[in-house]
Amino acid sequence: DSRTWFVVAPNVLGGCQGSTGPSSLRDGSRDLSLRADGPRQMSLRDASQWGSAFPRITVRDQVAVEAALADRLGIATWASLVGGSMGAMRVLEWLVGYPSRASSALVLAVGATATGDQIGTQSAQLRAITSDPRWRGGDYYDAADGDGPHEGMGLARRIAHLTYRSADELQLRFGNEPQDGENPLRDGRFAVQSYLDHQAAKLARRFDAGTYVALTDAMNTHDVGRGRGGVKAALSSIIAPVVVAGVDSDRLYPVVLQRELADWIPTTVGGLRIVHSEFGHDGFLIERDAVGALVRETLAIADRVSAPC
């Protein structure tokens, strides 16, 4: 209820819809490099947008920017940190890196580090984009008519979407059925191909390939234990009450990863929570009632611990 809670939802560093990212206009008089997670190197260029000169960023860098935002807003302590997937990576970094700045948290559909499976599928997405001739090393923003690496990004989205959904759902929805009016034996498509084509085209209209690369790379390097004595030591330093939940059909961030979080975070509330969904990883976005109940519980904890910001 936004009449009770003041909700802040910052666009993530590296993004293309509000914060600084590869598509942002560049001010050559300032050095954008960040130091939260190690040294950065940049090469100067005269293009109007950052493109390939945008520094490599990590989830830890993104949270450093969010902490600076909180400082600017005068928020010393958040009532709750709430996130799923990449958002939950940021929640974990907040809880470990800024332990006194949250009264409660919800961590949903994520792990403490990127796994080999996640890095593998996400690296394939990166290669799909960077192998597109229109990528131009990341400096495609001055191309005529916005002609960027749309084919590569569409392929990346197809790969990603398969990891977001469950095999059972795809079988139930599509199986090996042809797309209406098409014959897969005569240059037509299967229904699932049409579905993935739609997802690819939709993303190309609303997103930026440079941002896709920057954020996917940040997810690949996610490791809450880096430089902190390992994952178990990092998680054991958390002091805020944390609700940990996973989606039972999630094959990208399987429940075993959330079980590790629930076991190693000393302030886990009520053990691991399971959200039932047939939609795989996307269940954390789709199952509104179940996730809403977890958010309400997290806010209720914050209400008991401290007054809302």
Side-chain angles (χ1 to χ4, degrees), residues 16-308:
C16 56
Q17 297 172 341
S19 67
T20 305
S23 64
S24 299
L25 293 178
R26 178 176 180 176
D27 179 355
S29 66
R30 296 191 303 167
D31 182 355
L32 185 67
S33 61
L34 303 170
R35 304 291 171 178
D37 199 20
R40 297 286 179 271
Q41 293 182 347
M42 294 173 42
S43 60
L44 295 177
R45 56 194 292 271
D46 297 327
S48 60
Q49 288 158 305
W50 282 96
S52 63
F54 189 76
R56 191 180 190 188
I57 57 172
T58 66
V59 175
R60 200 169 298 179
D61 293 326
Q62 294 167 338
V63 172
V65 172
E66 293 175 349
L69 172 63
D71 292 343
R72 182 66 63 90
L73 294 174
I75 299 173
T77 303
W78 296 103
S80 288
L81 303 168
V82 175
S85 193
M86 186 179 184
M89 296 178 194
R90 289 148 61 193
V91 171
L92 287 174
E93 281 292 340
W94 266 102
L95 291 170
V96 174
Y98 306 86
S100 65
R101 300 196 67 169
S103 297
S104 67
L106 170 60
V107 175
L108 175 63
V110 80
T113 69
T115 67
D117 181 61
Q118 292 155 11
I119 294 170
T121 57
Q122 288 162 184
S123 295
Q125 295 167 48
L126 294 176
R127 181 59 64 89
I129 294 174
T130 59
S131 296
D132 187 323
R134 294 179 176 86
W135 170 246
R136 294 169 55 188
D139 297 320
Y140 57 86
Y141 294 103
D142 59 351
D145 300 322
D147 187 19
H150 304 314
E151 286 297 321
M153 187 163 67
L155 179 55
R157 177 62 174 177
R158 290 173 176 87
I159 298 169
H161 205 74
L162 289 173
T163 70
Y164 298 156
R165 297 299 180 122
S166 72
D168 288 344
E169 185 221 356
L170 294 176
Q171 178 62 24
L172 287 171
R173 286 182 66 182
F174 305 111
N176 67 344
E177 293 298 313
Q179 177 65 7
D180 291 344
E182 298 186 29
N183 184 347
L185 296 179
R186 296 182 179 177
D187 298 324
R189 298 173 298 173
F190 290 100
V192 70
Q193 287 177 275
S194 175
Y195 169 68
L196 293 175
D197 289 346
H198 170 73
Q199 296 297 329
K202 186 168 66 172
L203 185 72
R205 288 194 299 270
R206 67 177 176 84
F207 212 62
D208 170 57
T211 284
Y212 196 117
V213 168
L215 299 188
T216 302
D217 180 62
M219 288 190 289
N220 273 354
T221 62
H222 166 58
D223 182 352
V224 76
R226 183 173 53 246
R228 294 165 172 158
V231 168
K232 194 168 186 178
L235 295 177
S236 66
S237 70
I238 294 174
I239 59 176
V242 182
V243 177
V244 179
V247 179
D248 57 4
S249 58
D250 192 341
R251 59 180 175 181
L252 180 59
Y253 292 90
V255 169
V256 64
L257 301 179
Q258 292 91 59
R259 192 171 304 283
E260 178 184 79
L261 293 174
D263 289 346
W264 288 357
I265 295 174
T267 52
T268 298
V269 177
L272 176 62
R273 314 300 179 82
I274 302 296
V275 174
H276 175 67
S277 178
E278 66 182 29
F279 298 108
H281 185 61
D282 272 354
F284 90 92
L285 297 169
I286 295 171
E287 304 296 345
R288 291 186 177 186
D289 291 342
V291 174
L294 295 172
V295 173
R296 285 192 295 274
E297 179 184 359
T298 306
L299 294 176
I301 294 169
D303 227 358
R304 292 195 299 270
V305 173
S306 64

